[in-house]
């Protein structure tokens, strides 16, 4: 935003796409309106429950339940009626386990896999302390893939990355920790499957107004597909699958950076 104000060119997505892309709820809403597949969700926002102190008190009430007591809905309603309503809605729509995700945190930070009502309630309260908006999604057991993009109107796409998942989920440690897992680049897909995922990533790029660089993560199996999330500023560190996927497609990191910067300069020239 500061670069926009000063009239300076910059690399990466613009303000609107960056704001949308960092918010999982907004991203999914736009993708869905655009006719692109996403997982179903239940949303809860902090203002519905009250102050931060109220949310902290909800978490404390749940964690103070004796032993491993599974709270019934009446107990949850006594703690907070709307909180209980969202848990009831999640259980009506999804089987356990489910995933609780803060809407605007990246790198899987704050994401919790909840296997029962008690862990769901604790995870929701904790997520709402970390972020003002939180979503609950069903567990998706389809393999997950990532597709890198760079450019402007007609983005260049990378090879498809096949993520190697740990027994629970692709959490922060699995992505960036000392024992980060090796992903398959390229993914073990045939040419038609690869093209389908790359086309879906480009459709998401257009729907969200992405520019410069981005990575689109998808679940896919046996013709069933859903966009998981979009990263509007993929990492370039030692474990960056974004740079590796382009590198193995014949575009080295230096060339990738050149293209991202060239896109920023071209966007500035058009204005």
């Amino acid at each position: 935003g500061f670069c926009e104000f000063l009239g300076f060119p910059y690399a990466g997505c613009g303000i609107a796409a960056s704001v949308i892309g960092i918010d999982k709820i907004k991203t999914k809403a736009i993708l869905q309106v655009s006719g692109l597949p996403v997982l179903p969700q239940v949303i809860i926002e902090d203002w519905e429950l009250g102050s931060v102190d109220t949310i902290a008190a909800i978490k404390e009430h749940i964690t103070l339940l004796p032993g491993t007591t599974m709270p019934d809905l009446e107990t949850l309603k006594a703690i907070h009626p709307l909180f209980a309503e969202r848990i009831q809605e999640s259980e009506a729509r999804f089987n356990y386990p489910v995933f609780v995700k803060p809407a605007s945190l990246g790198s899987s930070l704050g994401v919790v896999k909840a296997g029962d009502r008690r862990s769901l309630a604790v995870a929701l309260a904790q997520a709402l302390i970390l972020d003002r908006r939180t979503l609950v999604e069903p567990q998706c057991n389809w393999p997950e893939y990532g597709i890198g993009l760079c450019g402007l109107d007609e983005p260049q796409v990378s090879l498809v990355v096949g993520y190697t998942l740990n027994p629970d989920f692709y959490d922060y440690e699995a992505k960036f920790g000392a024992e980060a897992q090796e992903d398959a680049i390229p993914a073990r897909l045939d040419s038609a499957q690869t093209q389908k995922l790359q086309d879906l990533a480009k459709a998401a790029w257009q729907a969200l107004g992405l520019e410069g660089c981005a990575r689109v993560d998808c679940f896919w199996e046996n013709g069933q597909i859903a966009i998981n999330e979009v990263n509007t500023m993929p990492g370039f560190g030692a474990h960056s699958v974004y740079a590796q996927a382009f590198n193995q497609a014949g575009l080295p990191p230096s060339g990738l950076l050149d293209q991202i910067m060239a896109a920023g300069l071209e966007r500035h020239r058009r204005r």
Side-chain angles (χ1 to χ4, degrees):
F2 190 52
C3 289
E4 289 271 7
F5 175 75
L6 295 175
F8 291 168
Y10 59 91
C13 290
I15 295 173
S18 297
V19 169
I20 292 166
I22 197 64
D23 188 317
K24 297 176 180 67
I25 295 171
K26 287 186 173 68
T27 295
K28 291 177 72 170
I30 291 175
L31 292 174
Q32 196 164 23
V33 167
S34 301
L36 300 177
V38 296
L39 294 177
Q41 63 185 348
V42 171
I43 301 167
I44 184 168
E45 304 191 36
D46 62 356
W47 65 266
E48 299 178 285
L49 302 180
S51 67
V52 174
D53 290 340
T54 301
I55 296 168
I58 292 172
K59 182 183 177 184
E60 185 176 3
H61 278 300
I62 297 164
T63 54
L64 287 177
L65 290 172
T68 56
T69 301
M70 197 64 62
D72 58 34
L73 288 172
E74 292 306 314
T75 300
L76 291 174
K77 286 177 182 176
I79 295 172
H80 197 292
L82 192 139
F83 189 76
E85 183 181 312
R86 290 292 185 271
I87 289 176
Q88 189 173 17
E89 182 183 354
S90 298
E91 291 180 334
R93 296 182 62 188
F94 314 134
N95 295 321
Y96 286 107
V98 295
F99 283 91
V100 177
K101 299 180 178 181
S104 301
L105 296 185
S107 302
S108 298
L109 294 172
V111 176
V112 174
K113 182 179 180 181
D116 54 39
R117 181 180 291 164
R118 183 189 182 110
S119 58
L120 172 59
V122 173
L124 275 174
Q126 179 60 37
L128 286 166
I129 291 171
L130 296 172
D131 198 345
R132 297 191 61 189
R133 303 163 79 226
T134 293
L135 60 147
V136 181
E137 290 180 341
Q139 175 169 282
C140 184
N141 294 317
W142 309 336
E144 187 174 8
Y145 301 93
I147 306 96
L149 305 101
C150 70
L152 279 178
D153 308 316
E154 295 292 335
Q156 181 173 343
V157 294
S158 72
L159 297 179
V160 176
V161 179
Y163 293 133
T164 303
L165 305 184
N166 66 24
D168 286 320
F169 66 101
Y170 201 52
D171 60 9
Y172 183 87
E173 284 301 314
K175 291 178 179 178
F176 306 112
E179 298 182 5
Q181 301 171 67
E182 290 295 325
D183 300 302
I185 307 175
R188 299 175 183 90
L189 300 168
D190 63 32
S191 58
Q193 294 166 338
T194 296
Q195 188 66 54
K196 184 177 182 67
L197 287 170
Q198 290 174 328
D199 288 346
L200 183 64
K202 287 193 284 187
W205 174 281
Q206 301 295 348
L208 296 168
L210 304 177
E211 297 171 319
C213 59
R215 192 190 71 244
V216 177
D217 295 336
C218 308
F219 295 114
W220 187 85
E221 186 173 61
N222 297 329
Q224 300 180 92
I225 195 165
I227 297 172
N228 183 25
E229 58 186 36
V230 172
N231 187 328
T232 59
M233 187 51 72
F236 275 81
H239 300 296
S240 169
V241 295
Y242 179 77
Q244 292 176 40
F246 272 110
N247 189 44
Q248 293 196 33
L251 183 63
S254 59
L256 177 58
L257 287 171
D258 285 345
Q259 289 214 20
I260 293 170
M261 289 187 288
L265 290 169
E266 172 61 17
R267 175 180 57 202
H268 182 71
R269 185 192 67 77
R270 293 181 184 181
R271 293 176 182 172

